[in-house]
Amino acid sequence: MVSWEDPSANREWGVAESLNQYPKVPGEEHLDGAIAEGVEGLRDAGRLFHGFKWSLGTSSNYSVVLQRNPLRLLLTSSGNDKRLLRECDFVVVDEHGKSLVDPAHGKPSAETGLHLLLAELPETGAVLHTHSVWSTLLTDRFGEVGFTLERFEMLKGLDGITTHEASKLVEVFANDQDITRLAGRVRARVLDTEKPLKHGFLLERHGLYAWGKSLAEARRHIEIFEFLFEVLGRKLQGG
């Protein structure tokens, strides 16, 4: 009987464990150092986010851009408990979302297309996706209209915002199992030449996507958004 804590319940025990190492891309050994650093950073994020109840069950997915030409994206493999991520619970994909590592590492997340889209942005270094109670409740309440966060000191934690007087519209997209179609809607906003979507967005009754120039910045953006979602949610509950 497999324990609920077993992060490899979705595949035969011992297959990926036998690798006992980080994923490797054949013929691209120059990526090994970046892969090791990225894996450890994402494992740390998984433990943190699980502790805050932002990545429960096997929800959420995280990625780090390893290189751009050609694109190589380190990504959590599908179906793993983010609190218990092992070195082997990651894949490296190309610009088409195809895994370039041993199949024993698992398969890429079904939402890989959104990570690839955000990785197209020239300053994106990492993308993080969480599923929190407060983001779910707020999107259930406001839907695709979205909502505004304003006059909060914590907004200064978002890149480029320097004053608490700022106002931040949080955009919400309807959830969609067709990731290609969903990515198309998001693409139109993040690539808008006049007022592009920045920092993050929400999927209705689903969760938050946030990104940054580095893993540290992406993690900070997640923390800022999730903190403010809880503040707003509690405020609305209190009338």
Side-chain angles (χ1 to χ4, degrees), residues 84-118:
L84 298 168
L85 289 171
R86 302 167 298 168
E87 291 89 342
C88 54
D89 289 331
F90 296 83
V91 296
V92 177
V93 301
D94 64 13
E95 68 272 21
H96 305 295
K98 177 184 177 182
S99 178
L100 303 175
V101 302
D102 191 307
H105 285 282
K107 61 183 180 180
S109 164
E111 297 175 32
T112 298
L114 289 172
H115 287 260
L116 290 172
L117 164 62
L118 296 170

Side-chain angles (χ1 to χ4, degrees), residues 3-207:
S3 164
W4 70 271
E5 292 187 332
D6 187 347
S8 63
N10 63 315
R11 60 180 181 268
E12 182 181 356
W13 176 260
V15 176
E17 271 295 309
S18 67
L19 299 175
N20 197 32
Q21 291 292 336
Y22 305 115
K24 292 181 179 293
V25 179
E28 299 188 22
E29 290 76 14
H30 64 284
L31 295 176
D32 288 354
I35 289 173
E37 181 179 357
V39 164
E40 292 308 318
L42 294 179
R43 291 178 72 198
D44 184 56
R47 288 187 290 267
L48 176 72
F49 293 171
H50 185 280
F52 282 118
K53 298 185 178 180
W54 300 339
S55 291
L56 297 180
T58 60
S59 70
S60 303
N61 35 75
Y62 320 137
S63 67
V64 168
V65 176
L66 299 173
Q67 71 173 35
R68 294 198 167 275
N69 291 305
L71 180 66
R72 296 291 183 261
L73 188 70
L74 175 71
L75 185 74
T76 46
S77 56
S78 181
N80 291 304
D81 185 333
K82 302 307 180 292
R83 177 174 63 97
L84 298 168
L85 289 171
R86 302 167 298 168
E87 291 89 342
C88 54
D89 289 331
F90 296 83
V91 296
V92 177
V93 301
D94 64 13
E95 68 272 21
H96 305 295
K98 177 184 177 182
S99 178
L100 303 175
V101 302
D102 191 307
H105 285 282
K107 61 183 180 180
S109 164
E111 297 175 32
T112 298
L114 289 172
H115 287 260
L116 290 172
L117 164 62
L118 296 170
E120 289 180 26
L121 302 176
E123 292 193 349
T124 296
V127 180
L128 301 172
H129 173 44
T130 52
H131 292 226
S132 72
V133 170
W134 294 107
S135 68
T136 304
L137 289 172
L138 289 172
T139 59
D140 184 49
R141 175 173 180 139
F142 292 104
E144 291 184 81
V145 173
F147 54 91
T148 300
L149 300 168
E150 55 187 345
R151 297 181 61 82
F152 289 113
E153 180 71 15
M154 286 289 276
L155 284 169
K156 291 161 61 177
L158 299 178
D159 182 52
I161 295 181
T162 59
T163 172
H164 71 281
E165 299 284 352
S167 176
K168 174 68 178 178
L169 172 64
V170 181
E171 298 189 32
V172 180
F173 296 86
N175 197 21
D176 195 335
Q177 297 303 301
D178 185 330
I179 298 301
T180 300
R181 182 169 58 201
L182 175 57
R185 299 204 309 272
V186 176
R187 178 185 297 275
R189 287 295 300 116
V190 297
L191 298 182
D192 187 298
T193 56
E194 294 185 2
K195 195 174 182 181
L197 175 61
K198 295 182 178 180
H199 306 120
F201 61 85
L202 285 166
L203 298 180
E204 191 173 4
R205 300 185 182 185
H206 182 157

